[in-house]
Amino acid sequence: MDIGKTAAPERPAPVPDTPDTGYRPSAHEQERQRYRRSRKRRHTWVSTLCTLLGLVVVGAAAVASPGWERVDSLFFDGAELRAALPDLLRGFWLNIQMFLVAEVLILVLGLLIALVRVTRAPGLQPLRLAATVYVDVFRGVPTLLLVFLVGFGLPALQLQGTPSEPWILGVIALTLSYTAYVAEVFRAGLNSVHPAQRNAARALGLNERQAVRHVVLPQAVRNVLPPLLNDFISLQKDTALVAVLGPLEALRAAQIKADYDFNYTPYLGAALLFIAVTIPLTRFADRLQRRAARRTWAGAAG
């Protein structure tokens, strides 16, 4: 061996162009994943069979009851439902219109009230007090009672420019009621954002308004989106309360048809229309809640 010569360094192994960085679970972990999938399928089958069995038992008990024939003729008359369906659809379109108009108003007013309540500016103390009184009062009044008060009390004032259309009065009542609830949801979302977020935005050069608009508010809305959807699901159903004022929405159309034919199947048709809208909204709200929970757990684990 020549001591005067230094050994040449070993050349590193060539790095492949596309390195394989994928995670390969062990055999034990693969077996555990297969067991979890099989257990999930088994639980799905068991829950499905139990649900079907429960429905069969309830249906059999209803059919075997002494008054089933009368209930069947009064509530499950297919011909009566087909005859009433056009009027129900026209009435339900009015429900959807009331819901959409009220939803926009509620979002805007609820956010404004929430911003007023969380502000700490001394000059806005009268507004904060007024917002607090508004939320306390209108959350305490039942929505149906508020529909009566607005629907019959507002026109009685005979003020110039007062709307006279029953559905507009109903939208006003629903807006007054649900704005109080949505304002509290927004306020909870604003308070859920850590103060460090606001401080960091101020440290980056944003003023107070910019920090709220670009940093605090987006996080607050994302945090309260599931409960907001739940409130609007309730709002969609409560548009039927406006029927007491007389507009031809779905419940009122069903009532007129039922009183004319002495058959209650139109009520069932109106209920199915509301269900067709509320169930997809409910499932969407549940999905958002699960996503928010996963994001929370992931943040806690990180």
Side-chain angles (χ1 to χ4, degrees), residues 31 196 205 219 240 248 269 279 301:
E31 181 65 24
Q219 297 183 66
L248 289 177
I279 286 183

Side-chain angles (χ1 to χ4, degrees), residues 188-238:
L190 292 170
N191 290 333
S192 68
V193 179
H194 199 277
Q197 299 288 327
R198 188 192 302 263
N199 296 335
R202 297 299 302 273
L204 292 175
L206 300 180
N207 57 34
E208 183 67 22
R209 182 180 302 177
Q210 291 172 335
V212 172
R213 177 183 176 185
H214 298 289
V215 178
V216 178
L217 191 56
Q219 297 183 66
V221 172
R222 185 178 60 187
N223 292 339
V224 301
L225 193 56
L228 276 180
L229 283 177
N230 288 329
D231 282 339
F232 288 131
I233 290 171
S234 299
L235 173 64
Q236 168 62 27
K237 296 185 299 181
D238 282 349

Side-chain angles (χ1 to χ4, degrees), residues 94-242:
L94 180 58
N95 287 96
I96 293 178
Q97 289 177 309
M98 290 189 293
F99 165 71
L100 294 176
V101 173
E103 181 179 7
V104 174
L105 297 175
I106 290 167
L107 283 174
V108 175
L109 296 176
L111 181 57
L112 291 177
I113 292 175
L115 290 173
V116 169
R117 293 200 66 187
V118 299
T119 185
R120 292 296 177 262
L124 296 180
Q125 178 61 29
L127 290 180
R128 283 197 298 272
L129 180 61
T132 303
V133 171
Y134 169 83
V135 170
D136 291 342
V137 169
F138 284 95
R139 283 202 306 170
V141 178
T143 305
L144 180 59
L145 180 57
L146 194 58
V147 171
F148 276 113
L149 292 175
V150 174
F152 298 113
L154 194 59
L157 296 176
Q158 297 182 355
L159 298 176
Q160 185 176 3
T162 301
S164 58
E165 292 81 358
W167 74 272
I168 296 180
L169 297 171
V171 167
I172 294 174
L174 293 175
T175 302
L176 291 174
S177 178
Y178 274 86
T179 296
Y181 294 98
V182 172
E184 286 299 279
V185 172
F186 275 129
R187 187 168 74 95
L190 292 170
N191 290 333
S192 68
V193 179
H194 199 277
Q197 299 288 327
R198 188 192 302 263
N199 296 335
R202 297 299 302 273
L204 292 175
L206 300 180
N207 57 34
E208 183 67 22
R209 182 180 302 177
Q210 291 172 335
V212 172
R213 177 183 176 185
H214 298 289
V215 178
V216 178
L217 191 56
Q219 297 183 66
V221 172
R222 185 178 60 187
N223 292 339
V224 301
L225 193 56
L228 276 180
L229 283 177
N230 288 329
D231 282 339
F232 288 131
I233 290 171
S234 299
L235 173 64
Q236 168 62 27
K237 296 185 299 181
D238 282 349
T239 55
L241 298 177
V242 185

